[in-house]
mmCIF file of all heavy atoms in Angstrom:
data_model
loop_
_atom_site.group_PDB
_atom_site.id
_atom_site.type_symbol
_atom_site.label_atom_id
_atom_site.label_comp_id
_atom_site.label_asym_id
_atom_site.label_seq_id
_atom_site.Cartn_x
_atom_site.Cartn_y
_atom_site.Cartn_z
ATOM 1 N N ALA D 155 -1.792 5.171 13.974
ATOM 2 C CA ALA D 155 -1.817 6.611 13.921
ATOM 3 C C ALA D 155 -3.229 7.243 14.190
ATOM 4 O O ALA D 155 -3.417 8.395 14.660
ATOM 5 C CB ALA D 155 -1.494 7.119 12.448
ATOM 6 N N PHE D 156 -4.231 6.285 13.960
ATOM 7 C CA PHE D 156 -5.601 6.880 14.302
ATOM 8 C C PHE D 156 -6.186 6.349 15.580
ATOM 9 O O PHE D 156 -7.241 6.615 16.001
ATOM 10 C CB PHE D 156 -6.590 6.370 13.074
ATOM 11 C CG PHE D 156 -6.395 7.164 11.770
ATOM 12 C CD1 PHE D 156 -6.071 6.388 10.718
ATOM 13 C CD2 PHE D 156 -6.403 8.504 11.706
ATOM 14 C CE1 PHE D 156 -5.889 7.088 9.445
ATOM 15 C CE2 PHE D 156 -6.144 9.175 10.593
ATOM 16 C CZ PHE D 156 -5.919 8.499 9.497
ATOM 17 N N ASP D 157 -5.390 5.539 16.312
ATOM 18 C CA ASP D 157 -5.771 5.075 17.592
ATOM 19 C C ASP D 157 -5.524 6.030 18.758
ATOM 20 O O ASP D 157 -4.763 5.929 19.643
ATOM 21 C CB ASP D 157 -5.011 3.729 17.993
ATOM 22 C CG ASP D 157 -5.530 3.110 19.133
ATOM 23 O OD1 ASP D 157 -6.634 3.349 19.613
ATOM 24 O OD2 ASP D 157 -4.976 2.109 19.670
ATOM 25 N N LEU D 158 -6.183 7.278 18.574
ATOM 26 C CA LEU D 158 -6.023 8.376 19.471
ATOM 27 C C LEU D 158 -7.455 8.904 19.810
ATOM 28 O O LEU D 158 -8.298 8.877 18.964
ATOM 29 C CB LEU D 158 -5.347 9.549 18.804
ATOM 30 C CG LEU D 158 -3.763 9.352 18.285
ATOM 31 C CD1 LEU D 158 -3.419 10.596 17.481
ATOM 32 C CD2 LEU D 158 -2.925 8.876 19.301
ATOM 33 N N THR D 159 -7.704 8.948 21.108
ATOM 34 C CA THR D 159 -8.997 9.444 21.498
ATOM 35 C C THR D 159 -8.969 10.956 21.716
ATOM 36 O O THR D 159 -8.176 11.484 22.445
ATOM 37 C CB THR D 159 -9.341 8.707 22.840
ATOM 38 O OG1 THR D 159 -9.421 7.333 22.642
ATOM 39 C CG2 THR D 159 -10.730 9.184 23.439
ATOM 40 N N SER D 160 -9.963 11.606 21.077
ATOM 41 C CA SER D 160 -10.116 13.002 21.090
ATOM 42 C C SER D 160 -11.386 13.301 21.968
ATOM 43 O O SER D 160 -12.437 12.705 21.683
ATOM 44 C CB SER D 160 -10.192 13.680 19.863
ATOM 45 O OG SER D 160 -10.401 15.060 19.900
ATOM 46 N N THR D 161 -11.381 14.164 22.999
ATOM 47 C CA THR D 161 -12.508 14.371 23.826
ATOM 48 C C THR D 161 -12.724 15.952 23.904
ATOM 49 O O THR D 161 -11.862 16.676 24.158
ATOM 50 C CB THR D 161 -12.259 13.889 25.234
ATOM 51 O OG1 THR D 161 -11.975 12.503 25.317
ATOM 52 C CG2 THR D 161 -13.435 14.214 26.094
ATOM 53 N N LEU D 162 -13.949 16.368 23.606
ATOM 54 C CA LEU D 162 -14.426 17.725 23.723
ATOM 55 C C LEU D 162 -14.994 17.863 25.053
ATOM 56 O O LEU D 162 -15.978 17.152 25.513
ATOM 57 C CB LEU D 162 -15.420 18.093 22.655
ATOM 58 C CG LEU D 162 -15.949 19.576 22.881
ATOM 59 C CD1 LEU D 162 -14.924 20.654 22.626
ATOM 60 C CD2 LEU D 162 -17.155 19.824 21.789
ATOM 61 N N VAL D 163 -14.274 18.737 25.965
ATOM 62 C CA VAL D 163 -14.834 18.893 27.354
ATOM 63 C C VAL D 163 -15.456 20.297 27.439
ATOM 64 O O VAL D 163 -14.836 21.195 27.104
ATOM 65 C CB VAL D 163 -13.588 18.727 28.291
ATOM 66 C CG1 VAL D 163 -14.187 18.870 29.837
ATOM 67 C CG2 VAL D 163 -12.838 17.451 28.169
ATOM 68 N N ALA D 164 -16.612 20.231 27.923
ATOM 69 C CA ALA D 164 -17.340 21.585 28.099
ATOM 70 C C ALA D 164 -17.810 21.787 29.552
ATOM 71 O O ALA D 164 -18.477 20.778 30.104
ATOM 72 C CB ALA D 164 -18.449 21.629 27.200
ATOM 73 N N LEU D 165 -17.483 22.776 30.113
ATOM 74 C CA LEU D 165 -17.822 23.184 31.460
ATOM 75 C C LEU D 165 -18.881 24.297 31.415
ATOM 76 O O LEU D 165 -18.685 25.403 30.757
ATOM 77 C CB LEU D 165 -16.739 23.623 32.499
ATOM 78 C CG LEU D 165 -15.629 22.657 32.626
ATOM 79 C CD1 LEU D 165 -14.584 23.268 33.654
ATOM 80 C CD2 LEU D 165 -16.049 21.271 33.047
ATOM 81 N N ASN D 166 -20.056 24.025 31.874
ATOM 82 C CA ASN D 166 -21.119 25.193 32.017
ATOM 83 C C ASN D 166 -21.558 25.335 33.454
ATOM 84 O O ASN D 166 -21.939 24.231 34.215
ATOM 85 C CB ASN D 166 -22.357 24.731 31.096
ATOM 86 C CG ASN D 166 -21.958 24.801 29.646
ATOM 87 O OD1 ASN D 166 -21.663 25.844 29.022
ATOM 88 N ND2 ASN D 166 -22.047 23.584 29.012
ATOM 89 N N THR D 167 -21.498 26.586 34.000
ATOM 90 C CA THR D 167 -21.837 26.779 35.258
ATOM 91 C C THR D 167 -23.226 27.528 35.446
ATOM 92 O O THR D 167 -23.507 28.431 34.568
ATOM 93 C CB THR D 167 -20.713 27.569 36.025
ATOM 94 O OG1 THR D 167 -20.941 27.640 37.430
ATOM 95 C CG2 THR D 167 -20.489 28.894 35.433
ATOM 96 N N TYR D 168 -24.026 27.300 36.468
ATOM 97 C CA TYR D 168 -25.301 27.672 36.716
ATOM 98 C C TYR D 168 -25.521 28.294 38.084
ATOM 99 O O TYR D 168 -24.751 27.861 39.097
ATOM 100 C CB TYR D 168 -26.268 26.690 36.464
ATOM 101 C CG TYR D 168 -26.171 26.016 35.018
ATOM 102 C CD1 TYR D 168 -25.262 24.987 34.867
ATOM 103 C CD2 TYR D 168 -27.014 26.386 33.834
ATOM 104 C CE1 TYR D 168 -25.121 24.429 33.566
ATOM 105 C CE2 TYR D 168 -26.915 25.888 32.703
ATOM 106 C CZ TYR D 168 -25.941 24.866 32.508
ATOM 107 O OH TYR D 168 -25.852 24.249 31.270
ATOM 108 N N ASP D 169 -26.608 28.996 38.316
ATOM 109 C CA ASP D 169 -27.058 29.456 39.630
ATOM 110 C C ASP D 169 -28.217 28.392 40.096
ATOM 111 O O ASP D 169 -29.094 27.944 39.318
ATOM 112 C CB ASP D 169 -27.491 30.759 39.602
ATOM 113 C CG ASP D 169 -26.451 31.767 39.837
ATOM 114 O OD1 ASP D 169 -25.445 31.400 40.476
ATOM 115 O OD2 ASP D 169 -26.555 32.956 39.487
ATOM 116 N N GLY D 170 -28.153 28.115 41.411
ATOM 117 C CA GLY D 170 -29.260 27.370 42.112
ATOM 118 C C GLY D 170 -29.605 26.114 41.363
ATOM 119 O O GLY D 170 -28.693 25.217 41.103
ATOM 120 N N ALA D 171 -30.887 25.947 41.122
ATOM 121 C CA ALA D 171 -31.271 24.652 40.579
ATOM 122 C C ALA D 171 -31.023 24.243 39.163
ATOM 123 O O ALA D 171 -31.152 23.307 38.653
ATOM 124 C CB ALA D 171 -32.796 24.440 40.830
ATOM 125 N N ALA D 172 -30.642 25.380 38.480
ATOM 126 C CA ALA D 172 -30.396 25.299 37.075
ATOM 127 C C ALA D 172 -29.243 24.266 36.713
ATOM 128 O O ALA D 172 -29.404 23.526 35.604
ATOM 129 C CB ALA D 172 -30.019 26.737 36.417
ATOM 130 N N GLY D 173 -28.281 24.059 37.520
ATOM 131 C CA GLY D 173 -27.188 23.160 37.290
ATOM 132 C C GLY D 173 -27.814 21.845 37.331
ATOM 133 O O GLY D 173 -27.590 20.939 36.473
ATOM 134 N N PRO D 174 -28.414 21.420 38.518
ATOM 135 C CA PRO D 174 -28.940 19.983 38.564
ATOM 136 C C PRO D 174 -29.975 19.707 37.634
ATOM 137 O O PRO D 174 -30.137 18.631 36.998
ATOM 138 C CB PRO D 174 -29.538 20.008 40.010
ATOM 139 C CG PRO D 174 -28.640 21.032 40.802
ATOM 140 C CD PRO D 174 -28.388 22.113 39.750
ATOM 141 N N ASP D 175 -30.740 20.765 37.240
ATOM 142 C CA ASP D 175 -31.828 20.551 36.188
ATOM 143 C C ASP D 175 -31.210 20.309 34.743
ATOM 144 O O ASP D 175 -31.664 19.506 34.023
ATOM 145 C CB ASP D 175 -32.647 21.741 36.127
ATOM 146 C CG ASP D 175 -33.687 21.944 37.265
ATOM 147 O OD1 ASP D 175 -33.785 20.869 38.080
ATOM 148 O OD2 ASP D 175 -34.230 23.054 37.430
#
Side-chain angles (χ1 to χ4, degrees):
F156 291 124
D157 191 12
L158 304 174
T159 297
S160 179
T161 302
L162 178 66
V163 183
L165 301 185
N166 292 295
T167 189
Y168 304 85
D169 273 332
D175 284 346

